[in-house]
Every structure is written in C-alpha cells, then in structure tokens.
C-alpha cells in the first residue's frame, strides 16, 4: 500500500498567522490519466471528515480561499493563509490514485 | 442537499458480525459509488471498499478481503457494509461516503461507532 507521511503531527498556530502541512507519498501519485489524486481533509472535533482540496490544488465548494494546496509527484503541501479559530482540528492528506486509497496519519492544528 | 444517514451504534462480541446501513438522499443514488472508511482509535483512517451503486460491482481492500461485504438496495437508496469475524481491533467509527474528483462531490455520513467487547 502507498504510505502517506505528514509533518508536522502537531501544529500550534497563532490566530491570523499562516500554517503549512507537508505530505509525502511512498510512490508517485500521478495516475495513468495524467491526474494526481491527492486530497486534503479537515476533521473538526466530533465531526466527520470534510474534503477541502481535491486533485492537489482544487478547492471544494464552500472552502474559504485561505486554504490552498500545491505539489506534484510525491510531495504536497496544504497552506492556510491566516488561521482562524474555526480551523482547529485534524488535517489529513489522502491519495486516491492507487488502490487501496490511503491517508496520512493526521496533523492536529491548535491555536496557541 | 446530499445527505447520508447511517444506522446507530453497535456493540458486538468477538467473532460476531455487524451490518451498518447508510441511507442516501439528495442525488441519484445509482449515479455514484458509495465507499466505506473506518477510523479506529489512534489509527489512520482506512479505506475499506466501495460499491458501484448502479451495477453493484464492488472493490475491497485486501486488508479486509474475505471479511467485508458491501451491498446496496437501490429501491431504498441505501448501502450496507457487513464485517464478519470481529475482533477488538475492529472497534472503530465506520463512515460511508460519496466521493469523486469534482467540486462538492464529497459527502460523508455521521459515522457509526462499532464496539467489540466480550
């Protein structure tokens, strides 16, 4: 299975400051159709996961533009421009290129 | 709006089976696959498998092959996930989800807690 490795695992951030999460995959996530199926999810306490970003850099409907995704091949990044209180939770990267789809171990974002 | 409502929490004994349901609404049920993902305490989210709600084709993770069965009832717009030979390691929250690489096509049920305890 493809192993997804995130860093850091814990991310204390001051309100209004930027935040960045890295995700690396154990093999390339470029699919045979040329797309890279790397997604980012947010899971707030007590809630189901919510996808923020699909195919590396595409924001889902209703996702604030302070969230952005970038990367290629095996290295990917989620950035939050200015962290707000509602951003507290755990963030996961997830690959949908190779079966079975796999998740990173999660990065817990908290407010300093 | 698209919604998934899952069945309630379950407590099962080791060796038993559990069947979780997921009722979909707000879209044409047969147009998308329904996937099942679980989240065990302290573990990564795990993708278990999916069913093509249109033709009933299924695909399972090798990790669960032989123990998991995903089915659907198109007349009820409901998908089911049955897991057998349960052990304590199967204690987890089980989610159903609809997902595709398009904006807004990613919807999750509220989760069903399955606890395995003797």
């Amino acid at each position: 299975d493809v192993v997804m490795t995130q860093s850091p695992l814990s991310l204390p951030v001051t309100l209004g400051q930027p935040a960045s999460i890295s995700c690396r995959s154990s093999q390339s996530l470029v699919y045979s159709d040329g797309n890279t199926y790397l997604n980012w999810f947010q899971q707030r306490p007590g809630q189901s996961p919510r996808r923020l970003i699909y195919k590396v850099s595409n924001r889902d409907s209703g996702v604030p533009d302070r969230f952005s995704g970038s990367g290629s091949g095996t290295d990917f990044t989620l950035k939050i421009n200015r962290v707000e209180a509602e951003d507290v939770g755990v963030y996961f990267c997830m690959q949908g290129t190779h079966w079975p789809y796999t998740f990173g171990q999660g990065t817990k974002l908290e407010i300093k | 709006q698209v919604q998934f409502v899952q069945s309630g929490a379950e407590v099962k004994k080791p060796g038993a089976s559990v069947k979780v349901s997921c009722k979909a609404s707000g879209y044409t049920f047969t147009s998308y696959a329904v996937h099942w993902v679980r989240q065990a305490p302290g573990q990564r989210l795990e993708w278990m498998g999916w069913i093509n709600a249109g033709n009933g084709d299924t695909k399972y993770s090798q990790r669960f092959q032989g123990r998991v069965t995903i089915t659907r009832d198109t007349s009820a717009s409901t998908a089911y996930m049955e897991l057998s030979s349960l052990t304590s390691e199967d204690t987890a929250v089980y989610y159903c989800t609809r997902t595709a690489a398009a904006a807004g096509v990613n919807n999750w049920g509220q989760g069903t807690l399955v606890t395995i305890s003797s």
Side-chain angles (χ1 to χ4, degrees):
Chain A
D1 295 358
V2 175
V3 178
M4 305 296 287
T5 303
Q6 290 181 229
S7 62
L9 300 186
S10 177
L11 185 55
V13 184
T14 302
L15 286 173
Q17 293 300 301
S20 179
I21 301 170
S22 171
C23 175
R24 286 188 173 176
S25 57
S26 60
Q27 53 187 280
S28 172
L29 300 185
V30 179
Y31 190 56
S32 54
D33 64 4
N35 287 307
T36 300
Y37 295 98
L38 185 283
N39 308 302
W40 288 96
F41 288 81
Q42 174 196 62
Q43 188 173 31
R44 291 174 173 146
Q47 294 187 13
S48 303
R50 167 201 181 197
R51 193 177 67 185
L52 301 173
I53 303 285
Y54 65 97
K55 288 197 296 184
V56 181
S57 59
N58 296 274
R59 264 190 308 277
D60 257 290
S61 306
V63 175
D65 61 7
R66 64 178 182 276
F67 290 93
S68 65
S70 63
S72 63
T74 60
D75 288 319
F76 305 93
T77 303
L78 176 71
K79 290 184 178 176
I80 310 173
N81 263 355
R82 292 171 303 279
V83 169
E84 298 188 5
E86 66 177 18
D87 299 336
V88 165
V90 182
Y91 292 79
F92 301 93
C93 58
M94 172 246 153
Q95 65 84 18
T97 296
H98 304 281
W99 184 253
Y101 306 149
T102 49
F103 288 85
Q105 64 271 60
T107 296
K108 187 172 185 179
L109 186 149
E110 61 179 28
I111 304 300
K112 269 190 210 174
Chain B
Q1 75 280 20
V2 175
Q3 196 174 10
F4 287 104
V5 178
Q6 298 183 220
S7 47
E10 303 259 15
V11 179
K12 294 291 183 180
K13 293 192 183 305
S17 297
V18 68
K19 191 170 186 177
V20 180
S21 68
C22 168
K23 182 169 177 58
S25 61
Y27 73 100
T28 302
F29 179 69
T30 51
S31 294
Y32 292 89
V34 176
H35 299 247
W36 288 88
V37 178
R38 79 176 188 181
Q39 189 169 34
Q43 303 296 315
R44 299 178 187 227
L45 286 151
E46 284 186 285
W47 216 283
M48 301 178 69
W50 53 265
I51 186 165
N52 179 323
N55 62 17
D57 285 349
T58 54
K59 192 175 182 82
Y60 302 125
S61 168
Q62 191 71 21
R63 177 165 153 71
F64 300 98
Q65 196 84 35
R67 285 209 304 139
V68 67
T69 305
I70 300 174
T71 56
R72 96 286 192 222
D73 178 348
T74 56
S75 66
S77 297
T78 300
Y80 302 89
M81 186 284 300
E82 185 169 20
L83 189 63
S84 62
S85 303
L86 295 168
T87 72
S88 58
E89 294 189 349
D90 294 315
T91 292
V93 176
Y94 290 77
Y95 294 100
C96 60
T97 176
R98 177 187 79 141
T99 184
V105 185
N106 192 266
N107 314 93
W108 292 66
Q110 82 276 20
T112 297
L113 175 62
V114 176
T115 304
I116 313 306
S117 174
S118 53

